[in-house]
Amino acid sequence: MFRATLIVLSLACATMATAETRVPQTQSEISLGFAPVVKQAAPAVVNIYAKIVRKGGANPFFSDPFFQEFFGRDFGAPRPRVQNSLGSGVILTEDGFVVSNYHVVGSATEIRVVTTDRREFSAKVVLGDEESDIAILRLEQADSLPYLIMRDSDHVEVGELALAIGNPFGVGQTVSSGIISGLARTGTATGNARGYFIQTDAAINPGNSGGALIDVNGKLIGINTSILTRSGGSNGIGFAIPANLVAEFLKQARAGNSNFVSPWAGMAGQHMSADIAESLGITIPQGVVISDLHILSPLADAGLRVGDVVSHVDGDEVNSPAEMKFRMSVSGVGGTSILTRLRDGVSGEVEVDLIEAPDKPAAEEISLDDKTVLPGLKVARVNPVMITSLGLALSQTGVVVVDPGPYGGRAGLRVGDVLNAINGAEMERPGDVVSALTDPGRRLNMSIQRGGRSLSLRFRL
């Protein structure tokens, strides 16, 4: 009897072990569903409540001396508004590192994290990046927490079963199932010009942001971040940030970084269309065509040039600049990547150093004082750091507005405006702006460049 029991237990254990990697074979296996996986993974998915203080709009009569005379100088002054943001997060380590979306917690003044067993923790953002929409939080006084193991997201395949776990609409932790619908989603396919995502049809709704997308073994595939929708609810097209990029964020957070550092390519590129492929004599339209290179680009240093086609990065196929950036980002600054290049019909491999955007020439950032007509205006010299942070053209030079300040903003200046000339004098360095705005006379004429357009701002002083 005892021996028979052991045989039954052995067969049951063998069935459970193989059930992870095959289609359910019996009614009992089918009825079991995803319950064991959810039971294992759900405790590592948390609810996040963030308080965000936003500046209120000013009353149109705020600066009117007439109303200030009767109602006081604070009449109509802009008042801050408090907004509450709801989202989800995933515990990555037992000592309290949690990942969520930047749009959930990035500008929060107070963050509260609630686990499935109703414990509450205060948290703060230790590393965040708005462009990648990832934020790493650290829970205060937390240890021995349940956490999810991250899977190598490069090995995820279309058609795999997937579960999305989060807190949609604030109703409480919810699990939805689906499959991996697509990989390497970028650009217009996601409604976001930047980023690189895994697509799933597992239902994702508001509040799911920052939650977990897991496989049938309970491993983290990605972080749910957005949906394509017309109604505001899930239409079966959701996107998750791949776990490999999350792993690089966690690595930098644990190293003490407060800002995410990604490799700088110093390159502009475009998707290979059928027309471009035909003009280059390429049979299959795949890869990224290099359309511009900065003089300090590590790709240029490695021998690449405008017109080359990059088809693979470290052996993985790339078809957009966002894919190239993702592949280089997961490798991290300080290493190298092998780029497969196609030039004049000949394919070859090039080793590229992964570096930070160089601060050359020095930015020479200056904040103007009261001796100028636009005090508070902050300007800097254009270099790769400024090009990257402000989204400027690779070929851009000159002086850029980092912060317009109160008076510059009223004059019409915006962050990212390039100051070409002031009262006819060309601006090459920040010091030139200081000189031009110190006692400029009764009239001010500023020639600026904004998003590829040339504008002129004229006003009396």
Side-chain angles (χ1 to χ4, degrees):
M1 178 68 178
F2 180 69
R3 184 170 179 273
T5 302
L6 286 177
I7 293 173
V8 172
L9 287 174
S10 298
L11 289 173
C13 290
T15 300
M16 291 177 66
T18 57
E20 293 182 349
T21 56
R22 65 175 174 81
V23 176
Q25 301 293 314
T26 66
Q27 183 62 40
S28 61
E29 289 180 2
I30 294 173
S31 62
L32 189 63
F34 297 113
V37 179
V38 174
K39 191 173 183 179
Q40 168 193 331
V45 182
V46 297
N47 297 337
I48 295 179
Y49 302 90
K51 182 181 292 185
I52 301 172
V53 179
R54 300 190 184 280
K55 293 181 179 180
N59 188 296
F61 303 110
F62 170 56
S63 58
D64 193 313
F66 175 81
F67 286 93
Q68 289 182 354
E69 180 72 24
F70 286 94
F71 299 103
R73 295 200 173 275
D74 61 344
F75 170 75
R79 302 185 185 280
R81 294 180 293 109
V82 177
Q83 293 183 345
N84 293 314
S85 173
L86 175 67
S88 306
V90 180
I91 303 174
L92 300 177
T93 66
E94 63 179 356
D95 58 345
F97 281 96
V98 174
V99 63
S100 185
N101 285 139
Y102 186 91
H103 73 259
V104 174
V105 298
S107 56
T109 56
E110 182 181 331
I111 303 172
R112 185 164 53 93
V113 174
V114 182
T115 60
T116 55
D117 58 6
R118 297 183 178 85
R119 287 184 292 169
E120 294 190 13
F121 297 91
S122 295
K124 63 179 180 179
V125 177
V126 293
L127 187 152
D129 184 69
E130 186 173 6
E131 181 179 337
S132 301
D133 198 19
I134 299 178
I136 301 294
L137 312 175
R138 185 69 187 272
L139 305 187
E140 297 178 1
Q141 300 179 341
D143 57 17
S144 302
L145 295 173
Y147 63 95
L148 290 186
I149 296 174
M150 284 183 277
R151 177 179 167 183
D152 184 349
S153 55
D154 285 344
H155 294 162
V156 175
E157 297 183 11
V158 174
E160 283 192 37
L161 292 172
L163 302 177
I165 307 177
N167 182 20
F169 299 110
V171 299
Q173 191 176 84
T174 302
V175 181
S176 55
S177 66
I179 63 170
I180 301 301
S181 307
L183 303 173
R185 296 303 195 208
T186 62
T188 55
T190 66
N192 184 350
R194 299 176 178 177
Y196 175 95
F197 304 97
I198 295 171
Q199 182 184 331
T200 180
D201 69 346
I204 298 173
N205 286 291
N208 269 118
S209 293
L213 186 69
I214 63 173
D215 63 13
V216 292
N217 295 319
K219 290 187 177 180
L220 185 67
I221 296 174
I223 299 299
N224 301 321
T225 185
S226 63
I227 57 176
L228 278 184
T229 178
R230 293 181 179 177
S231 62
S234 176
N235 289 334
I237 303 178
F239 302 100
I241 300 168
N244 283 5
L245 185 57
V246 176
E248 179 62 23
F249 268 79
L250 177 62
K251 176 183 175 182
Q252 293 195 23
R254 302 198 80 160
N257 288 13
S258 57
N259 294 302
F260 182 68
V261 180
S262 60
W264 179 70
M267 179 207 82
Q270 62 185 101
H271 170 74
M272 174 77 74
S273 65
D275 291 338
I276 295 175
E278 184 179 358
S279 67
L280 295 175
I282 298 174
T283 305
I284 300 176
Q286 66 178 30
V288 180
V289 183
I290 298 177
S291 58
D292 194 9
L293 283 172
H294 192 278
I295 190 173
L296 298 178
S297 166
L299 275 67
D301 190 54
L304 279 84
R305 64 192 189 200
V306 173
D308 285 349
V309 177
V310 178
S311 61
H312 294 77
V313 175
D314 293 326
D316 294 304
E317 183 179 313
V318 292
N319 288 297
S320 71
E323 285 185 65
M324 282 190 62
K325 181 175 182 179
F326 170 79
R327 294 297 173 193
M328 296 170 74
S329 293
V330 297
S331 296
V333 171
T336 60
S337 277
I338 303 298
L339 273 59
T340 303
R341 175 197 64 191
L342 183 64
R343 178 189 294 170
D344 299 329
V346 179
S347 180
E349 293 187 342
V350 177
E351 186 175 17
V352 176
D353 292 329
L354 301 180
I355 65 171
E356 294 184 49
D359 192 19
K360 297 179 181 179
E364 302 174 3
E365 189 172 297
I366 293 177
S367 183
L368 277 62
D369 57 23
D370 292 336
K371 296 178 181 179
T372 66
V373 296
L374 295 178
L377 172 64
K378 187 179 293 185
V379 294
R381 193 174 183 182
V382 175
N383 63 15
V385 172
M386 292 297 164
I387 288 172
T388 302
S389 62
L390 299 177
L392 304 176
L394 286 175
S395 58
Q396 186 65 64
T397 59
V399 181
V400 64
V401 175
V402 178
D403 184 350
Y407 298 98
R410 292 180 190 177
L413 292 175
R414 300 179 186 175
V415 174
D417 285 347
V418 176
L419 303 178
N420 293 326
I422 299 178
N423 285 346
E426 293 187 3
M427 300 293 104
E428 297 181 358
R429 305 180 69 165
D432 297 336
V433 178
V434 177
S435 300
L437 294 180
T438 301
D439 193 19
R442 300 296 299 169
R443 296 178 182 273
L444 192 61
N445 184 4
M446 305 179 72
S447 176
I448 67 173
Q449 188 170 336
R450 176 184 298 164
R453 297 181 301 152
S454 295
L455 304 174
S456 183
L457 302 178
R458 296 187 180 92
F459 41 88
R460 287 185 176 184
L461 299 177

